[in-house]
Amino acid sequence: GEDVEQSLFLSVREGDSSVINCTYTDSSSTYLYWYKQEPGAGLQLLTYIFSNMDMKQDQRLTVLLNKKDKHLSLRIADTQTGDSAIYFCAESRTGGGNKLTFGTGTQLKVEL
Amino acid sequence: DVKVTQSSRYLVKRTGEKVFLECVQDMDHENMFWYRQDPGLGLRLIYFSYDVKMKEKGDIPEGYSVSREKKERFSLILESASTNQTSMYLCASTTTVGAYEQYFGPGTRLTVT
């Protein structure tokens, strides 16, 4: 079946860059997404990339997509303590219905 | 701003009870979803609905049912709660066009004792 994988934890120092990685399985996914979940809250869309793009930049966020390896990454520049959260990657599913398959989530901890 | 609200933030129920989780969205979205979130497993889709009175099973529908009588409201029902249904439940909605951003509610943490 479909599987989206992420490492469970990442720890960085404030001011450093964070890179969160994700591998997905469905090569026909139209969009790939990064969601952020702060403690006690639901998920919030951070950014998304269309499958025919290799890179997308949005302020401190850079998304890289390697379709050949089915690898997606999210880079956060100048990481701040407010970036501490769980980050989920997700892929759109084939077969319609606007369904997404979510990864396991990466807990990012930013240390002073 | 899109708003998705869930009826309770925290809920404690006993084994065997019937449990209703309610979700309401205010953006006239066609599609609504129920997920459960467990540590190390991410989000897993329980059910979704693409129109009033329409529903489809997700990846883990066993032990759950849903109801969508009105476009803005999607209910998740645990017919007979069990301890392995202790989890965080998240509702989401999305429209049918565009990049399909899903808007999430704040979640309901359900504990079944």
Side-chain angles (χ1 to χ4, degrees), chain B residues 4 7 12 15 30 44 46 71 77 83 86 93 98-99 103 105 108:
Chain B
V4 180
S7 50
V12 179
T15 301
E30 297 83 4
R44 293 179 291 167
I46 304 171
K71 192 174 185 180
I77 303 153
T83 54
T86 291
S93 72
Y103 295 86
T108 296

mmCIF file with all atom_site columns, all heavy atoms in Angstrom, chain B residues 4 7 12 15 30 44 46 71 77 83 86 93 98-99 103 105 108:
data_model
loop_
_atom_site.group_PDB
_atom_site.id
_atom_site.type_symbol
_atom_site.label_atom_id
_atom_site.label_alt_id
_atom_site.label_comp_id
_atom_site.label_asym_id
_atom_site.label_entity_id
_atom_site.label_seq_id
_atom_site.pdbx_PDB_ins_code
_atom_site.Cartn_x
_atom_site.Cartn_y
_atom_site.Cartn_z
_atom_site.occupancy
_atom_site.B_iso_or_equiv
_atom_site.pdbx_formal_charge
_atom_site.auth_seq_id
_atom_site.auth_comp_id
_atom_site.auth_asym_id
_atom_site.auth_atom_id
_atom_site.pdbx_PDB_model_num
ATOM 1   N N   . VAL B 1 4   ? -12.535 25.344 10.989 1.00 0.00 ? 4   VAL B N   1
ATOM 2   C CA  . VAL B 1 4   ? -13.048 24.009 11.239 1.00 0.00 ? 4   VAL B CA  1
ATOM 3   C C   . VAL B 1 4   ? -13.078 23.836 12.748 1.00 0.00 ? 4   VAL B C   1
ATOM 4   O O   . VAL B 1 4   ? -12.045 23.993 13.412 1.00 0.00 ? 4   VAL B O   1
ATOM 5   C CB  . VAL B 1 4   ? -12.150 22.929 10.594 1.00 0.00 ? 4   VAL B CB  1
ATOM 6   C CG1 . VAL B 1 4   ? -12.717 21.549 10.877 1.00 0.00 ? 4   VAL B CG1 1
ATOM 7   C CG2 . VAL B 1 4   ? -12.029 23.168 9.092  1.00 0.00 ? 4   VAL B CG2 1
ATOM 8   N N   . SER B 1 7   ? -16.283 19.516 18.331 1.00 0.00 ? 7   SER B N   1
ATOM 9   C CA  . SER B 1 7   ? -17.180 19.733 19.465 1.00 0.00 ? 7   SER B CA  1
ATOM 10  C C   . SER B 1 7   ? -16.475 19.696 20.811 1.00 0.00 ? 7   SER B C   1
ATOM 11  O O   . SER B 1 7   ? -16.865 20.393 21.744 1.00 0.00 ? 7   SER B O   1
ATOM 12  C CB  . SER B 1 7   ? -18.316 18.711 19.444 1.00 0.00 ? 7   SER B CB  1
ATOM 13  O OG  . SER B 1 7   ? -17.803 17.404 19.302 1.00 0.00 ? 7   SER B OG  1
ATOM 14  N N   . VAL B 1 12  ? -13.496 11.839 27.758 1.00 0.00 ? 12  VAL B N   1
ATOM 15  C CA  . VAL B 1 12  ? -13.192 10.577 28.429 1.00 0.00 ? 12  VAL B CA  1
ATOM 16  C C   . VAL B 1 12  ? -14.463 9.741  28.423 1.00 0.00 ? 12  VAL B C   1
ATOM 17  O O   . VAL B 1 12  ? -15.513 10.196 28.896 1.00 0.00 ? 12  VAL B O   1
ATOM 18  C CB  . VAL B 1 12  ? -12.696 10.803 29.873 1.00 0.00 ? 12  VAL B CB  1
ATOM 19  C CG1 . VAL B 1 12  ? -12.408 9.455  30.533 1.00 0.00 ? 12  VAL B CG1 1
ATOM 20  C CG2 . VAL B 1 12  ? -11.454 11.674 29.887 1.00 0.00 ? 12  VAL B CG2 1
ATOM 21  N N   . THR B 1 15  ? -15.437 2.060  28.126 1.00 0.00 ? 15  THR B N   1
ATOM 22  C CA  . THR B 1 15  ? -15.535 0.965  27.150 1.00 0.00 ? 15  THR B CA  1
ATOM 23  C C   . THR B 1 15  ? -16.996 0.591  26.929 1.00 0.00 ? 15  THR B C   1
ATOM 24  O O   . THR B 1 15  ? -17.756 0.439  27.895 1.00 0.00 ? 15  THR B O   1
ATOM 25  C CB  . THR B 1 15  ? -14.755 -0.259 27.647 1.00 0.00 ? 15  THR B CB  1
ATOM 26  O OG1 . THR B 1 15  ? -13.387 0.117  27.840 1.00 0.00 ? 15  THR B OG1 1
ATOM 27  C CG2 . THR B 1 15  ? -14.814 -1.386 26.641 1.00 0.00 ? 15  THR B CG2 1
ATOM 28  N N   . GLU B 1 30  ? -16.836 20.904 -0.007 1.00 0.00 ? 30  GLU B N   1
ATOM 29  C CA  . GLU B 1 30  ? -17.547 19.681 -0.369 1.00 0.00 ? 30  GLU B CA  1
ATOM 30  C C   . GLU B 1 30  ? -17.008 18.464 0.397  1.00 0.00 ? 30  GLU B C   1
ATOM 31  O O   . GLU B 1 30  ? -17.760 17.559 0.729  1.00 0.00 ? 30  GLU B O   1
ATOM 32  C CB  . GLU B 1 30  ? -17.395 19.411 -1.881 1.00 0.00 ? 30  GLU B CB  1
ATOM 33  C CG  . GLU B 1 30  ? -18.002 20.473 -2.776 1.00 0.00 ? 30  GLU B CG  1
ATOM 34  C CD  . GLU B 1 30  ? -17.100 21.669 -3.002 1.00 0.00 ? 30  GLU B CD  1
ATOM 35  O OE1 . GLU B 1 30  ? -15.950 21.664 -2.534 1.00 0.00 ? 30  GLU B OE1 1
ATOM 36  O OE2 . GLU B 1 30  ? -17.557 22.630 -3.662 1.00 0.00 ? 30  GLU B OE2 1
ATOM 37  N N   . ARG B 1 44  ? -3.934  8.756  10.034 1.00 0.00 ? 44  ARG B N   1
ATOM 38  C CA  . ARG B 1 44  ? -4.548  7.693  9.251  1.00 0.00 ? 44  ARG B CA  1
ATOM 39  C C   . ARG B 1 44  ? -6.010  8.050  8.987  1.00 0.00 ? 44  ARG B C   1
ATOM 40  O O   . ARG B 1 44  ? -6.729  8.438  9.914  1.00 0.00 ? 44  ARG B O   1
ATOM 41  C CB  . ARG B 1 44  ? -4.419  6.358  9.983  1.00 0.00 ? 44  ARG B CB  1
ATOM 42  C CG  . ARG B 1 44  ? -2.979  5.859  10.087 1.00 0.00 ? 44  ARG B CG  1
ATOM 43  C CD  . ARG B 1 44  ? -2.911  4.550  10.836 1.00 0.00 ? 44  ARG B CD  1
ATOM 44  N NE  . ARG B 1 44  ? -3.225  4.714  12.251 1.00 0.00 ? 44  ARG B NE  1
ATOM 45  C CZ  . ARG B 1 44  ? -3.472  3.700  13.075 1.00 0.00 ? 44  ARG B CZ  1
ATOM 46  N NH1 . ARG B 1 44  ? -3.454  2.457  12.626 1.00 0.00 ? 44  ARG B NH1 1
ATOM 47  N NH2 . ARG B 1 44  ? -3.732  3.941  14.340 1.00 0.00 ? 44  ARG B NH2 1
ATOM 48  N N   . ILE B 1 46  ? -9.798  7.681  8.469  1.00 0.00 ? 46  ILE B N   1
ATOM 49  C CA  . ILE B 1 46  ? -10.840 6.766  8.926  1.00 0.00 ? 46  ILE B CA  1
ATOM 50  C C   . ILE B 1 46  ? -11.982 6.719  7.895  1.00 0.00 ? 46  ILE B C   1
ATOM 51  O O   . ILE B 1 46  ? -12.356 5.658  7.397  1.00 0.00 ? 46  ILE B O   1
ATOM 52  C CB  . ILE B 1 46  ? -11.399 7.207  10.291 1.00 0.00 ? 46  ILE B CB  1
ATOM 53  C CG1 . ILE B 1 46  ? -10.276 7.327  11.321 1.00 0.00 ? 46  ILE B CG1 1
ATOM 54  C CG2 . ILE B 1 46  ? -12.462 6.226  10.791 1.00 0.00 ? 46  ILE B CG2 1
ATOM 55  C CD1 . ILE B 1 46  ? -10.709 7.954  12.634 1.00 0.00 ? 46  ILE B CD1 1
ATOM 56  N N   . LYS B 1 71  ? -24.109 19.864 4.740  1.00 0.00 ? 71  LYS B N   1
ATOM 57  C CA  . LYS B 1 71  ? -22.811 20.062 4.100  1.00 0.00 ? 71  LYS B CA  1
ATOM 58  C C   . LYS B 1 71  ? -21.749 20.502 5.091  1.00 0.00 ? 71  LYS B C   1
ATOM 59  O O   . LYS B 1 71  ? -20.587 20.113 4.980  1.00 0.00 ? 71  LYS B O   1
ATOM 60  C CB  . LYS B 1 71  ? -22.944 21.111 2.989  1.00 0.00 ? 71  LYS B CB  1
ATOM 61  C CG  . LYS B 1 71  ? -21.743 21.190 2.073  1.00 0.00 ? 71  LYS B CG  1
ATOM 62  C CD  . LYS B 1 71  ? -22.016 22.131 0.930  1.00 0.00 ? 71  LYS B CD  1
ATOM 63  C CE  . LYS B 1 71  ? -20.880 22.124 -0.069 1.00 0.00 ? 71  LYS B CE  1
ATOM 64  N NZ  . LYS B 1 71  ? -21.121 23.045 -1.193 1.00 0.00 ? 71  LYS B NZ  1
ATOM 65  N N   . ILE B 1 77  ? -18.721 8.460  14.556 1.00 0.00 ? 77  ILE B N   1
ATOM 66  C CA  . ILE B 1 77  ? -19.427 7.714  15.593 1.00 0.00 ? 77  ILE B CA  1
ATOM 67  C C   . ILE B 1 77  ? -18.629 6.469  15.937 1.00 0.00 ? 77  ILE B C   1
ATOM 68  O O   . ILE B 1 77  ? -18.236 5.712  15.037 1.00 0.00 ? 77  ILE B O   1
ATOM 69  C CB  . ILE B 1 77  ? -20.838 7.315  15.117 1.00 0.00 ? 77  ILE B CB  1
ATOM 70  C CG1 . ILE B 1 77  ? -21.614 8.586  14.712 1.00 0.00 ? 77  ILE B CG1 1
ATOM 71  C CG2 . ILE B 1 77  ? -21.585 6.560  16.215 1.00 0.00 ? 77  ILE B CG2 1
ATOM 72  C CD1 . ILE B 1 77  ? -22.683 8.347  13.686 1.00 0.00 ? 77  ILE B CD1 1
ATOM 73  N N   . THR B 1 83  ? -10.737 0.453  24.187 1.00 0.00 ? 83  THR B N   1
ATOM 74  C CA  . THR B 1 83  ? -9.525  1.139  24.660 1.00 0.00 ? 83  THR B CA  1
ATOM 75  C C   . THR B 1 83  ? -8.553  1.418  23.511 1.00 0.00 ? 83  THR B C   1
ATOM 76  O O   . THR B 1 83  ? -7.812  2.405  23.552 1.00 0.00 ? 83  THR B O   1
ATOM 77  C CB  . THR B 1 83  ? -8.824  0.334  25.758 1.00 0.00 ? 83  THR B CB  1
ATOM 78  O OG1 . THR B 1 83  ? -8.585  -0.996 25.285 1.00 0.00 ? 83  THR B OG1 1
ATOM 79  C CG2 . THR B 1 83  ? -9.683  0.271  27.028 1.00 0.00 ? 83  THR B CG2 1
ATOM 80  N N   . THR B 1 86  ? -8.541  4.900  21.905 1.00 0.00 ? 86  THR B N   1
ATOM 81  C CA  . THR B 1 86  ? -7.947  6.055  22.571 1.00 0.00 ? 86  THR B CA  1
ATOM 82  C C   . THR B 1 86  ? -6.950  6.687  21.614 1.00 0.00 ? 86  THR B C   1
ATOM 83  O O   . THR B 1 86  ? -6.007  6.039  21.160 1.00 0.00 ? 86  THR B O   1
ATOM 84  C CB  . THR B 1 86  ? -7.239  5.640  23.870 1.00 0.00 ? 86  THR B CB  1
ATOM 85  O OG1 . THR B 1 86  ? -8.223  5.228  24.825 1.00 0.00 ? 86  THR B OG1 1
ATOM 86  C CG2 . THR B 1 86  ? -6.416  6.777  24.442 1.00 0.00 ? 86  THR B CG2 1
ATOM 87  N N   . SER B 1 93  ? -11.327 19.630 6.188  1.00 0.00 ? 93  SER B N   1
ATOM 88  C CA  . SER B 1 93  ? -12.200 19.851 5.045  1.00 0.00 ? 93  SER B CA  1
ATOM 89  C C   . SER B 1 93  ? -11.389 20.464 3.914  1.00 0.00 ? 93  SER B C   1
ATOM 90  O O   . SER B 1 93  ? -10.330 21.062 4.136  1.00 0.00 ? 93  SER B O   1
ATOM 91  C CB  . SER B 1 93  ? -13.372 20.765 5.409  1.00 0.00 ? 93  SER B CB  1
ATOM 92  O OG  . SER B 1 93  ? -12.948 22.103 5.587  1.00 0.00 ? 93  SER B OG  1
ATOM 93  N N   . GLY B 1 98  ? -8.276  23.223 -7.165 1.00 0.00 ? 98  GLY B N   1
ATOM 94  C CA  . GLY B 1 98  ? -7.027  23.795 -6.682 1.00 0.00 ? 98  GLY B CA  1
ATOM 95  C C   . GLY B 1 98  ? -6.115  22.752 -6.077 1.00 0.00 ? 98  GLY B C   1
ATOM 96  O O   . GLY B 1 98  ? -6.167  21.565 -6.420 1.00 0.00 ? 98  GLY B O   1
ATOM 97  N N   . ALA B 1 99  ? -5.280  23.198 -5.189 1.00 0.00 ? 99  ALA B N   1
ATOM 98  C CA  . ALA B 1 99  ? -4.232  22.344 -4.641 1.00 0.00 ? 99  ALA B CA  1
ATOM 99  C C   . ALA B 1 99  ? -4.712  21.508 -3.477 1.00 0.00 ? 99  ALA B C   1
ATOM 100 O O   . ALA B 1 99  ? -3.918  20.883 -2.811 1.00 0.00 ? 99  ALA B O   1
ATOM 101 C CB  . ALA B 1 99  ? -3.033  23.186 -4.223 1.00 0.00 ? 99  ALA B CB  1
ATOM 102 N N   . TYR B 1 103 ? -7.969  21.860 5.495  1.00 0.00 ? 103 TYR B N   1
ATOM 103 C CA  . TYR B 1 103 ? -8.027  22.714 6.684  1.00 0.00 ? 103 TYR B CA  1
ATOM 104 C C   . TYR B 1 103 ? -8.447  21.851 7.860  1.00 0.00 ? 103 TYR B C   1
ATOM 105 O O   . TYR B 1 103 ? -9.462  21.145 7.789  1.00 0.00 ? 103 TYR B O   1
ATOM 106 C CB  . TYR B 1 103 ? -9.028  23.848 6.461  1.00 0.00 ? 103 TYR B CB  1
ATOM 107 C CG  . TYR B 1 103 ? -8.626  24.801 5.375  1.00 0.00 ? 103 TYR B CG  1
ATOM 108 C CD1 . TYR B 1 103 ? -8.939  24.544 4.049  1.00 0.00 ? 103 TYR B CD1 1
ATOM 109 C CD2 . TYR B 1 103 ? -7.914  25.960 5.669  1.00 0.00 ? 103 TYR B CD2 1
ATOM 110 C CE1 . TYR B 1 103 ? -8.565  25.410 3.031  1.00 0.00 ? 103 TYR B CE1 1
ATOM 111 C CE2 . TYR B 1 103 ? -7.538  26.834 4.663  1.00 0.00 ? 103 TYR B CE2 1
ATOM 112 C CZ  . TYR B 1 103 ? -7.863  26.557 3.353  1.00 0.00 ? 103 TYR B CZ  1
ATOM 113 O OH  . TYR B 1 103 ? -7.492  27.421 2.356  1.00 0.00 ? 103 TYR B OH  1
ATOM 114 N N   . GLY B 1 105 ? -9.314  20.982 11.977 1.00 0.00 ? 105 GLY B N   1
ATOM 115 C CA  . GLY B 1 105 ? -9.782  21.419 13.273 1.00 0.00 ? 105 GLY B CA  1
ATOM 116 C C   . GLY B 1 105 ? -8.697  21.197 14.315 1.00 0.00 ? 105 GLY B C   1
ATOM 117 O O   . GLY B 1 105 ? -7.652  20.609 14.023 1.00 0.00 ? 105 GLY B O   1
ATOM 118 N N   . THR B 1 108 ? -9.682  16.364 18.791 1.00 0.00 ? 108 THR B N   1
ATOM 119 C CA  . THR B 1 108 ? -10.325 15.878 20.022 1.00 0.00 ? 108 THR B CA  1
ATOM 120 C C   . THR B 1 108 ? -9.487  14.744 20.567 1.00 0.00 ? 108 THR B C   1
ATOM 121 O O   . THR B 1 108 ? -9.263  13.748 19.867 1.00 0.00 ? 108 THR B O   1
ATOM 122 C CB  . THR B 1 108 ? -11.756 15.367 19.755 1.00 0.00 ? 108 THR B CB  1
ATOM 123 O OG1 . THR B 1 108 ? -12.573 16.439 19.306 1.00 0.00 ? 108 THR B OG1 1
ATOM 124 C CG2 . THR B 1 108 ? -12.351 14.764 21.026 1.00 0.00 ? 108 THR B CG2 1
#
